[in-house]
Amino acid sequence: MEATRRKFLTSSRNGILTIGLFPLWTGPTTAWAQSDPLPSWNETASKAAIVSFVGRVTKQGSADFVPDAERVAVFDNDGTLWVEHPMYTQLAFALDRVKTLAPQHPEWKDTQPFKAVLDGDMKALAASGEKGLLELIMLTHAGMTTTEFKKVVTDWLSTARDPKFKRPYTELVYQPMVELMAYLRANGFKTFIVSGGGVEFMRPWTEKAYGVPPEQVIGSSIKTEFRMQDDTPTLYRLPEVNFIDDKAGKPVGINEAIGQRPIAAFGNSDGDIEMLQWTTMAGAPARLGMLVHHTDADREYAYDRDTDFGRLDKALDAAAITGWTVIDMKADWKRVFKD
Amino acid sequence: MEATRRKFLTSSRNGILTIGLFPLWTGPTTAWAQSDPLPSWNETASKAAIVSFVGRVTKQGSADFVPDAERVAVFDNDGTLWVEHPMYTQLAFALDRVKTLAPQHPEWKDTQPFKAVLDGDMKALAASGEKGLLELIMLTHAGMTTTEFKKVVTDWLSTARDPKFKRPYTELVYQPMVELMAYLRANGFKTFIVSGGGVEFMRPWTEKAYGVPPEQVIGSSIKTEFRMQDDTPTLYRLPEVNFIDDKAGKPVGINEAIGQRPIAAFGNSDGDIEMLQWTTMAGAPARLGMLVHHTDADREYAYDRDTDFGRLDKALDAAAITGWTVIDMKADWKRVFKD
């Protein structure tokens, strides 16, 4: 690095540039001033796979070269970019919402799945099944305008704390993945989030946490309806599923929102299989598929084939066959969170 | 302009810059080298409204200042960015598709609405109503993968010619609007297309025609399904409506795809009313709503309240009340198309 820098300065001195003007000239400095863009990654096969892939697709004239406009990378959110245990953050939000709204709904004391939530009975909640959980989401996420919902999410995130780390949820994003996203963007990529989570639950904070603007967040959604209320246009959130952005829904959501096929995809669970297939099995040589494997019980959690949140089972088997890289959190990451 | 340039060079000579280095230093040159960014617009109220709006929202410290990240502009497509008469281009595409596919469907000779298309009987086609048109779109747009459909669209556009102008449809984009989009982008805006037309009909060509990448195109869509075919992942287009991005659907589509409210919206018909309401009636001072009024029978077409394609009736009445600017094509545009 230092040798390159010296060489550059020497040739500049002999050229039309002068040292006097140097501070103004900010063009190619990044080429030599750049330090390691992935400082939270250990020097293991995972980091090598990333750097090699980026090198190949950005090298003009290489057989693997991909033009800027086609450099699309997609990231699952829960368990890939931030913590998803002991439960999805959005579920923690929904449970808190039930408690907040309970005084206005005395009937919930005797109605499942609300009773289970208010009693803290996670077993009874699980027994209410997908139908119960869906009902919970609808009643806590719908029945208000998009503007109101955004405020509810933002307010909750500002006070809620993760039960294990005692930190705001938005601080529990994986620092190595944040670096990876920034590294890809610095190399001409557009980075999208493609999550089973609710799109309007994520958009209020993804720009700050990941550098991903609202229009690059794809997720599950409920239907909204345009309504004029007292001469003010609003979008009202209805208790009706619009789209489930999970499993085979992920490539569908990607196509609807992005309109082109990604060249890199990052997930951590069986819900990401189709997204990684769609991305990497395209017949082109340079495609990157990676799975975050939670192997670090000390610094975060260790789980894979047997968990309710973020099960990594079939995807782990598929990785060996398809050539997806499995990120070993414990071995590959120097740190999990920003200090 | 020339005075500004001279002044700049003079001050440079006296500063740390030297003329010798000048060709390398490409930073702020745009600030003075910039010529009129809207050369195809006459100096009328429409152009003044655009330039004034952009000036206000980009001026740091002004009460109307809007940060880069929130500078979102949305554009209807048919009749706002390209020609929509004598019929929507996508309908011309569907009719041609029927003729192309007819040999494989002998039954169409006796089945409406196909018979009407094959007989060139537009009256009978109109009589088949919305149901007939929808059936037409489904049968010509579905039943294949997204990759196949993209090729069909691209192939058709490369040979099809507009009946009046005898030019490829993608050349019949309005040059003043193309300049407007580029001007907004140069001022930190993201420009989105929000059209009632099919999103996958537009995406293959919007980047080249307007500088709008696929992920910034929002439109109507049919459902797609993820399928593994011989170990190859595909998205298969189903004959089922997914979303109609028109009228009250436009704000819904904007919210789903962009996740924030635009500050500028451009349309040309009653189908754009809700999009303009959602954009401009937000309580904030600096919002821009504009309607392209087709007033130029010589260079393009003249139509408004009484037409099947792009009816401008209620929106024209609303414009006067809401403060939307009506673009008078004949008076405001120096040229309609690129020569």
Side-chain angles (χ1 to χ4, degrees):
Chain A
M1 183 64 74
E2 196 47 39
T4 313
R5 179 177 174 153
R6 271 196 305 271
K7 184 160 177 285
F8 180 85
L9 283 173
T10 307
S11 74
S12 298
R13 252 182 233 119
N14 298 340
I16 53 164
L17 285 168
T18 65
I19 294 298
L21 129 296
F22 204 70
L24 263 183
W25 188 64
T26 55
T29 52
T30 46
W32 54 264
Q34 194 176 57
S35 53
D36 180 3
L38 300 170
S40 298
W41 292 74
N42 286 317
E43 301 298 330
T44 56
S46 290
K47 180 174 181 175
I50 294 167
V51 174
S52 158
F53 168 76
V54 171
R56 280 180 295 142
V57 299
T58 56
K59 190 178 173 186
Q60 287 271 7
S62 127
D64 293 340
F65 177 75
V66 176
D68 267 40
E70 293 165 28
R71 288 181 208 157
V72 170
V74 288
F75 293 80
D76 169 60
N77 185 42
D78 297 301
T80 299
L81 295 178
W82 78 346
V83 173
E84 66 181 347
H85 272 208
M87 69 177 79
Y88 298 133
T89 304
Q90 193 175 356
L91 182 54
F93 164 75
L95 301 186
D96 276 1
R97 284 291 291 162
V98 168
K99 290 169 201 160
T100 303
L101 297 172
Q104 300 156 46
H105 296 272
E107 74 281 8
W108 283 358
K109 268 184 245 162
D110 307 302
T111 322
Q112 292 296 12
F114 305 99
K115 186 179 184 308
V117 176
L118 296 174
D119 296 345
D121 184 350
M122 290 300 109
K123 208 169 162 184
L125 180 62
S128 76
E130 200 173 304
K131 191 173 161 291
L133 282 172
L134 203 61
E135 196 178 351
L136 204 66
I137 294 286
M138 288 308 164
L139 266 156
T140 54
H141 285 61
M144 67 193 100
T145 68
T146 51
T147 307
E148 288 162 351
F149 184 70
K150 183 179 177 180
K151 181 168 167 25
V152 168
V153 171
T154 307
D155 288 351
W156 181 79
L157 283 171
S158 70
T159 58
R161 295 293 177 269
D162 174 273
K164 176 171 176 170
F165 299 102
K166 318 288 181 201
R167 294 174 70 174
Y169 287 99
T170 47
E171 286 184 11
L172 298 177
V173 302
Y174 304 134
Q175 179 61 17
M177 297 304 283
V178 172
E179 291 168 7
L180 171 56
M181 294 177 109
Y183 173 57
L184 290 173
R185 287 193 296 264
N187 280 281
F189 279 77
K190 291 170 189 162
T191 52
F192 290 81
I193 291 169
V194 180
S195 168
V199 66
E200 300 215 59
F201 181 75
M202 296 182 284
R203 282 176 167 162
W205 53 271
T206 54
E207 175 110 47
K208 199 175 163 202
Y210 306 129
V212 175
E215 73 271 15
Q216 289 177 357
V217 181
I218 304 164
S220 298
S221 57
I222 59 178
K223 288 198 187 295
T224 60
E225 186 176 79
F226 180 77
R227 291 183 185 176
M228 288 298 286
Q229 288 182 344
D230 306 323
D231 281 343
T232 301
T234 65
L235 286 170
Y236 198 79
R237 291 168 61 79
L238 305 174
E240 193 184 336
V241 170
N242 181 57
F243 180 65
I244 302 292
D245 190 47
D246 198 25
K247 300 187 174 72
K250 289 204 174 191
V252 170
I254 287 169
N255 185 61
E256 273 184 27
I258 309 179
Q260 56 182 325
R261 198 186 284 229
I263 66 168
F266 305 86
N268 79 301
S269 80
D270 287 359
D272 300 315
I273 291 176
E274 288 85 351
M275 176 170 82
L276 267 72
Q277 288 176 327
W278 176 242
T279 301
T280 64
M281 298 170 73
R287 294 290 181 270
L288 183 64
M290 298 188 93
L291 290 166
V292 174
H293 190 186
H294 293 258
T295 53
D296 198 330
D298 292 332
R299 296 186 300 179
E300 201 234 14
Y301 295 98
Y303 59 88
D304 45 35
R305 295 182 194 271
D306 187 24
T307 174
D308 287 333
F309 299 101
R311 182 187 308 252
L312 178 68
D313 182 26
K314 288 177 188 162
L316 206 51
D317 298 335
I321 301 162
T322 52
W324 300 334
T325 303
V326 178
I327 297 167
D328 180 336
M329 186 181 270
K330 189 172 183 171
D332 293 345
W333 289 358
K334 264 186 209 157
R335 64 187 65 81
V336 176
F337 308 117
K338 204 171 181 177
D339 302 326
Chain B
M1 185 59 74
E2 196 46 40
T4 314
R5 180 175 174 155
R6 268 196 307 270
K7 185 162 178 285
F8 180 86
L9 282 173
T10 306
S11 73
S12 300
R13 250 182 235 123
N14 298 338
I16 54 166
L17 285 168
T18 64
I19 294 299
L21 131 296
F22 202 69
L24 263 182
W25 188 64
T26 56
T29 52
T30 45
W32 54 264
Q34 194 176 58
S35 52
D36 180 5
L38 301 170
S40 298
W41 292 74
N42 286 317
E43 301 298 330
T44 55
S46 292
K47 182 174 180 176
I50 295 166
V51 173
S52 160
F53 168 76
V54 171
R56 281 180 292 144
V57 299
T58 57
K59 189 178 175 184
Q60 287 269 9
S62 126
D64 293 340
F65 178 75
V66 176
D68 267 42
E70 294 165 27
R71 288 182 208 156
V72 170
V74 288
F75 292 80
D76 169 61
N77 185 42
D78 295 302
T80 299
L81 295 178
W82 76 346
V83 174
E84 65 182 348
H85 273 208
M87 68 177 80
Y88 297 135
T89 304
Q90 193 175 358
L91 181 56
F93 164 75
L95 301 186
D96 276 1
R97 283 291 293 162
V98 168
K99 290 170 200 159
T100 304
L101 298 171
Q104 299 156 47
H105 296 272
E107 75 280 9
W108 284 357
K109 265 183 249 165
D110 307 303
T111 324
Q112 291 297 13
F114 305 100
K115 184 178 185 307
V117 176
L118 297 174
D119 296 347
D121 184 350
M122 289 301 108
K123 206 169 162 183
L125 180 61
S128 76
E130 202 173 304
K131 189 172 162 292
L133 282 172
L134 202 62
E135 194 178 352
L136 204 66
I137 294 287
M138 289 307 166
L139 266 155
T140 54
H141 286 61
M144 66 194 100
T145 69
T146 51
T147 308
E148 287 161 350
F149 183 69
K150 183 180 177 179
K151 182 167 164 28
V152 169
V153 171
T154 307
D155 288 351
W156 182 78
L157 283 171
S158 70
T159 58
R161 294 293 178 270
D162 174 272
K164 176 171 175 171
F165 298 101
K166 317 291 181 200
R167 294 174 70 174
Y169 288 99
T170 47
E171 287 185 10
L172 298 177
V173 302
Y174 304 134
Q175 178 62 16
M177 297 303 285
V178 172
E179 290 168 9
L180 171 56
M181 295 178 108
Y183 173 57
L184 290 173
R185 287 193 297 266
N187 281 282
F189 279 77
K190 292 171 187 161
T191 53
F192 290 82
I193 291 168
V194 180
S195 169
V199 66
E200 301 216 59
F201 180 75
M202 296 182 283
R203 282 175 167 162
W205 54 271
T206 54
E207 175 111 47
K208 198 173 163 205
Y210 307 128
V212 175
E215 73 271 16
Q216 290 177 357
V217 181
I218 304 164
S220 298
S221 58
I222 58 178
K223 287 198 186 296
T224 60
E225 186 177 80
F226 181 77
R227 291 183 184 176
M228 289 296 288
Q229 288 182 344
D230 306 323
D231 282 343
T232 300
T234 65
L235 286 169
Y236 198 80
R237 291 168 61 79
L238 304 174
E240 192 183 338
V241 171
N242 181 57
F243 180 65
I244 302 292
D245 190 48
D246 198 24
K247 301 189 175 72
K250 289 204 172 191
V252 170
I254 287 169
N255 185 60
E256 274 186 25
I258 308 178
Q260 57 182 325
R261 197 186 285 227
I263 66 168
F266 306 86
N268 79 300
S269 79
D270 287 359
D272 300 314
I273 291 175
E274 288 85 351
M275 176 170 81
L276 267 73
Q277 288 176 326
W278 176 242
T279 301
T280 63
M281 298 169 74
R287 294 290 180 269
L288 183 64
M290 297 187 93
L291 289 166
V292 175
H293 190 184
H294 293 260
T295 53
D296 197 330
D298 291 332
R299 296 185 301 179
E300 200 233 15
Y301 294 98
Y303 59 90
D304 44 39
R305 296 183 193 269
D306 186 26
T307 174
D308 287 334
F309 300 101
R311 183 185 307 248
L312 178 68
D313 183 25
K314 289 177 189 162
L316 206 50
D317 298 334
I321 302 162
T322 53
W324 301 335
T325 303
V326 177
I327 296 167
D328 180 336
M329 185 181 270
K330 189 170 183 173
D332 293 345
W333 289 358
K334 262 185 210 158
R335 63 187 67 81
V336 176
F337 307 117
K338 204 171 179 178
D339 301 328

